[in-house]
Amino acid sequence: MRKIKNFIGFAVFIASIILVSTKSFAAEVKYTENLIPKMTSATSPSGKVSADSYDGVEYHWHAFDRVLSTSSNSNHTAWVSNVDNYGWLSYEFSEKKCITKYVITVAGYCAHGRAPKNWTFEGLSLETGKWVILDKHTNEPAWANGEKRAYTFNNETYFKRYRINITATQNSENRASINELEMMETIYPLDAPTNLSVIAGDSQAKLSWNAVEGATSYNIMRSTVSGEEEFIKSVSGVSGSAITFIDKGLTNGTTYYYVVKAVGKDGESRRSNEVAATPLYVAPEKVLKLVLEVKEEKQLSVSDDLEDNTELEWTSSDEAIATVDANGKVKALKPGNTTITCVNADGSYTDRINVLVVDLELQLSVDLHIGETCRLTVGDLANADKVTWVADDPTIATVSNKGKVTAVNEGLTYITALDEQGIEVGRIYIRVRQ
């Protein structure tokens, strides 16, 4: 038992070493200095400060003047809202920033009441005109006078304007106040890929972007929802000033969103700009087509073995014109154009054939009245027994194994002759009248 206990203790000791070692090698996240300049007014030296309110002497831009307040409010270096229990304060950069950290310093006086308790940190979307919540805090512990606290969060979206939106102060009867508000970006080991662009094609999207110095590979990220891209593939062994990647097996008509990250020996870059593509098949104006007559059927194949057809998904772009079954057999229904497409299970193989269905108003045919008959043959009558006769629509006309046709109901159909190998020799149309 003692040996077992000693072994367990040793194992725990080793595990703790591994844990400590693993933690010690974790990459430390680094941030820039405060990106907001020392403000001397709401717009100087750059950017723009705004707030929902401020009192007569403790202006909104005081929260960005980099001057700490004293134990009294005589130097007026903090922002104080003009209403109790809430208020928002914002700064707009001259160009978009990807803020991932902010620091709040509360005033050197009245922190027990005026310091924020509940708030959100937000970025303004220029596309929607709405504020996007990036970080949220509720029931923040009480602050000491002049205390500074830092907050970090994951963000890969660039905004020009950010704000802290205070919805409750430490004392609901006090006005909101902040002495200093700082904002920082994450420092990444590599620059983000630039000039990402995309060209949509048939069931695919071609991405291209500028190479990043020091990158050994690139992570491609994709989603059908903007801003929610996830990793799909790593592209390595790339060279040159421009990188391309073709994403295949996509669903035509679906919009895909993409971003790219550069990868180097010290980690990933931030995301590139986002692009979107909607793959679509567009048939050229002049294209080779299979011509079928209404009610005609034709078998398609992808190999010498028709069983291979069952491993693909077959679709018709317009099933009112022609349908295709799971075995690749096409049936023409009415005049018009359609495209028959086949795709294998993983989407790596896609092919199609264009079909034109016609209904000939003038069709040379044998004219029979209901009940009348006629005789068909191939060559001389001696060959009639060597032919297989097939009626396309037996409800209109039937045919015997010797080629005798009998009119049954009004309509137009055809009789097909097959040789001993099952190959079509020819066909004759039969028009039946009352």
Side-chain angles (χ1 to χ4, degrees):
M1 178 65 74
R2 181 176 296 177
K3 289 183 178 180
I4 294 175
K5 289 182 177 178
N6 289 340
F7 174 76
I8 293 173
F10 179 72
V12 171
F13 173 71
I14 293 297
S16 65
I17 293 176
I18 294 172
L19 232 108
V20 171
S21 299
T22 302
K23 187 174 181 180
S24 66
F25 283 107
E28 180 184 358
V29 179
K30 298 180 180 180
Y31 298 91
T32 63
E33 297 295 326
N34 182 15
L35 296 178
I36 302 174
K38 180 178 180 178
M39 301 298 289
T40 56
S41 72
T43 57
S44 181
S46 64
K48 181 180 179 180
V49 179
S50 56
D52 63 335
S53 67
Y54 55 88
D55 73 6
V57 291
E58 294 170 305
Y59 298 111
H60 45 15
W61 61 268
H62 284 163
F64 306 101
D65 63 3
R66 302 194 181 188
V67 178
L68 298 178
S69 62
T70 62
S71 57
S72 70
N73 64 349
S74 59
N75 57 346
H76 304 301
T77 62
W79 163 70
V80 180
S81 71
N82 203 29
V83 291
D84 289 342
N85 204 36
Y86 71 89
W88 60 259
L89 174 69
S90 80
Y91 180 80
E92 182 176 347
F93 293 94
S94 56
E95 59 183 21
K96 288 184 177 182
K97 304 290 183 182
C98 185
I99 300 300
T100 53
K101 177 181 178 181
Y102 61 100
V103 177
I104 298 173
T105 303
V106 296
Y109 58 92
C110 297
H112 62 282
R114 292 181 175 180
K117 181 179 182 180
N118 301 338
W119 74 86
T120 54
F121 187 81
E122 305 167 348
L124 180 63
S125 170
L126 297 180
E127 289 75 18
T128 65
K130 296 181 179 180
W131 289 98
V132 179
I133 295 176
L134 304 173
D135 190 42
K136 182 177 182 179
H137 289 267
T138 56
N139 296 318
E140 184 77 1
W143 301 67
N145 286 337
E147 185 179 355
K148 175 189 288 190
R149 295 180 187 176
Y151 304 89
T152 61
F153 53 93
N154 293 325
N155 175 41
E156 295 191 356
T157 304
Y158 287 76
F159 301 96
K160 285 186 66 176
R161 187 179 176 190
Y162 292 85
R163 76 173 181 180
I164 183 170
N165 187 22
I166 301 170
T167 55
T169 55
Q170 294 291 331
N171 185 330
S172 61
E173 295 181 358
N174 284 122
R175 294 173 291 170
S177 175
I178 289 179
N179 187 175
E180 289 295 315
L181 179 61
E182 304 169 60
M183 301 183 196
M184 297 84 169
E185 288 183 315
T186 300
I187 299 175
Y188 289 89
L190 292 169
D191 292 334
T194 56
N195 296 327
L196 176 65
S197 62
V198 63
I199 299 175
D202 178 18
S203 302
Q204 67 179 32
K206 181 179 180 181
L207 303 173
S208 61
W209 62 91
N210 293 344
V212 175
E213 184 177 356
T216 56
S217 63
Y218 297 88
N219 288 340
I220 313 298
M221 307 179 74
R222 182 188 73 197
S223 176
T224 54
V225 179
S226 176
E228 297 184 11
E229 294 85 0
E230 296 182 350
F231 173 83
I232 61 166
K233 189 174 181 64
S234 178
V235 179
S236 59
V238 293
S239 61
S241 59
I243 314 299
T244 60
F245 168 75
I246 299 178
D247 191 18
K248 298 181 179 179
L250 304 179
T251 301
N252 284 337
T254 298
T255 299
Y256 295 88
Y257 298 88
Y258 294 90
V259 293
V260 177
K261 289 184 176 182
V263 182
K265 61 182 180 66
D266 295 323
E268 284 186 324
S269 72
R270 64 163 50 96
R271 296 184 176 201
S272 68
N273 58 295
E274 182 185 68
V275 293
T278 306
L280 188 65
Y281 173 70
V282 179
E285 294 182 5
K286 294 182 179 180
V287 63
L288 185 64
K289 298 180 181 181
L290 169 66
V291 180
L292 298 178
E293 296 177 18
V294 174
K295 296 186 179 180
E296 187 176 0
E297 296 184 6
K298 284 295 179 187
Q299 177 69 55
L300 304 180
S301 65
V302 293
S303 71
D304 293 336
D305 187 358
L306 284 178
E307 286 296 319
D308 290 343
N309 281 7
T310 60
E311 299 178 6
L312 288 87
E313 180 183 0
W314 296 84
T315 57
S316 171
S317 62
D318 191 340
E319 294 190 339
I321 302 299
T323 59
V324 59
D325 65 18
N327 297 311
K329 180 173 281 189
V330 181
K331 184 175 183 179
L333 300 179
K334 72 175 187 178
N337 288 277
T338 187
T339 302
I340 305 300
T341 303
C342 61
V343 183
N344 66 354
D346 63 8
S348 60
Y349 171 78
T350 301
D351 212 344
R352 56 184 49 80
I353 186 168
N354 298 286
V355 176
L356 171 63
V357 179
V358 296
D359 190 2
L360 302 177
E361 295 182 5
L362 297 177
Q363 175 62 57
L364 181 63
S365 59
V366 178
D367 213 85
L368 298 175
H369 291 280
I370 294 175
E372 287 186 332
T373 63
C374 68
R375 183 76 180 274
L376 304 178
T377 187
V378 175
D380 55 39
L381 289 175
N383 292 322
D385 292 337
K386 299 178 182 179
V387 176
T388 300
W389 300 94
V390 180
D392 177 65
D393 190 344
T395 64
I396 296 175
T398 60
V399 62
S400 71
N401 57 4
K402 294 186 179 295
K404 183 179 179 180
V405 179
T406 302
V408 179
N409 282 303
E410 283 186 300
L412 179 68
T413 186
Y414 56 85
I415 307 299
T416 303
L418 307 175
D419 66 13
E420 292 176 299
Q421 284 75 44
I423 298 174
E424 182 177 326
V425 177
R427 64 175 58 176
I428 291 181
Y429 279 83
I430 306 295
R431 181 176 285 109
V432 180
R433 305 176 188 276
Q434 281 286 354

